[in-house]
Amino acid sequence: GAGVSQSPSNKVTEKGKDVELRCDPISGHTALYWYRQSLGQGLEFLIYFQGNSAPDKSGLPSDRFSAERTGGSVSTLTIQRTQQEDSAVYLCASSSPAGGIDTQYFGPGTRLTVL
Amino acid sequence: AQKVTQAQTEISVVEKEDVTLDCVYETRDTTYYLFWYKQPPSGELVFLIRRNSFDEQNEISGRYSWNFQKSTSSFNFTITASQVVDSAVYFCALIVNTGFQKLVFGTGTRLLVSP
């Protein structure tokens, strides 16, 4: 079936604007993850959803970052009042950890550039 | 805390050479999972292999092989007879079985295979 999809693929915004990044997980996958990849920080975990709830928000870097997931499917990562240090590739992954740990499959990412 | 170290930042080889990518991990958990992902120039993270802490058998898949040694906390990846298409950044990652399934990534090794 289809893999994880993310939109937009590229986003250029001005400092101070809000942005929304979307993730469509693999059909049937109950778990969804957001990661960020930047030159200085490597690949870092942001947030994890199991169904519509987020038991682990420990990686969100500030209160400007929020995420939600509706219907156990699509997720939106919102960054308010963007800063230049938010420039990075935002990666989404999904998995189906029924009773254990399953492999996370990643989408192509959204490249965010804050001018 | 968990940590993954990929000491090799970049490796350059000529096509048909064998190459080994090193991965050393740290965790106090007895149950954990190790992964390798490939990130080609297109940017998408591609899953290669997963190993759990109770299975130390080495694995071979075509030109790829993995050597898992708990005694040295290493999970090394060897590409035999490398090809130009193997050029990518390779990430080693770790998940511990504590319920919050976030991947802890190493910093990645960039492999350049020249013709």
Side-chain angles (χ1 to χ4, degrees):
Chain A
V4 177
S5 60
Q6 294 185 246
S7 61
S9 55
N10 279 284
K11 176 73 176 178
V12 180
T13 190
E14 294 179 349
K15 179 181 172 182
K17 301 276 190 185
D18 298 351
V19 296
E20 283 190 354
L21 312 180
R22 177 189 167 108
C23 172
D24 233 310
I26 292 171
S27 177
H29 278 191
T30 57
L32 185 147
Y33 315 79
W34 285 96
Y35 294 85
R36 179 169 74 171
Q37 185 173 24
S38 55
L39 279 177
Q41 303 297 324
L43 272 157
E44 51 180 346
F45 168 83
L46 298 178
I47 189 169
Y48 154 60
F49 286 92
Q50 180 58 46
N52 290 336
S53 63
D56 190 357
K57 303 180 183 179
S58 63
L60 293 177
S62 76
D63 57 9
R64 296 186 296 105
F65 287 71
S66 63
E68 65 174 13
R69 188 179 185 196
T70 55
S73 181
V74 172
S75 175
T76 303
L77 177 68
T78 301
I79 309 173
Q80 294 179 310
R81 306 181 303 281
T82 51
Q83 304 293 312
Q84 288 181 333
E85 61 263 28
D86 299 334
S87 295
V89 177
Y90 289 82
L91 292 163
C92 177
S94 70
S95 72
S96 183
I101 289 179
D102 199 5
T103 299
Q104 295 179 26
Y105 295 93
F106 284 80
T110 293
R111 181 175 297 277
L112 175 65
T113 303
V114 182
L115 302 176
Chain B
Q2 294 78 43
K3 185 179 178 182
V4 176
T5 300
Q6 294 180 256
Q8 304 150 310
T9 304
E10 185 168 307
I11 301 175
S12 293
V13 299
V14 177
E15 211 169 16
K16 297 184 184 175
E17 283 185 27
D18 298 347
V19 59
T20 295
L21 309 181
D22 297 334
C23 172
V24 174
Y25 61 92
E26 296 176 31
T27 179
R28 292 180 180 170
D29 288 76
T30 57
T31 303
Y32 52 88
Y33 294 74
L34 295 163
F35 299 78
W36 276 95
Y37 285 86
K38 174 182 179 180
Q39 188 173 44
S42 61
E44 188 162 344
L45 277 169
V46 178
F47 165 71
L48 295 178
I49 191 172
R50 149 202 170 131
R51 244 334 178 230
N52 73 55
S53 52
F54 300 110
D55 183 1
E56 281 194 78
Q57 277 192 327
N58 291 331
E59 180 151 341
I60 298 175
S61 176
R63 297 184 296 109
Y64 295 171
S65 61
W66 291 269
N67 183 356
F68 177 26
Q69 293 197 335
K70 288 177 74 171
S71 61
T72 55
S73 297
S74 65
F75 186 42
N76 296 338
F77 173 29
T78 297
I79 301 175
T80 302
S82 59
Q83 299 177 2
V84 172
V85 293
D86 295 327
S87 296
V89 180
Y90 291 86
F91 290 93
C92 182
L94 167 73
I95 284 181
V96 296
N97 191 24
T98 56
F100 291 162
Q101 300 185 15
K102 63 181 181 186
L103 283 162
V104 174
F105 285 92
T107 50
T109 297
R110 181 178 299 278
L111 175 64
L112 298 172
V113 182
S114 54

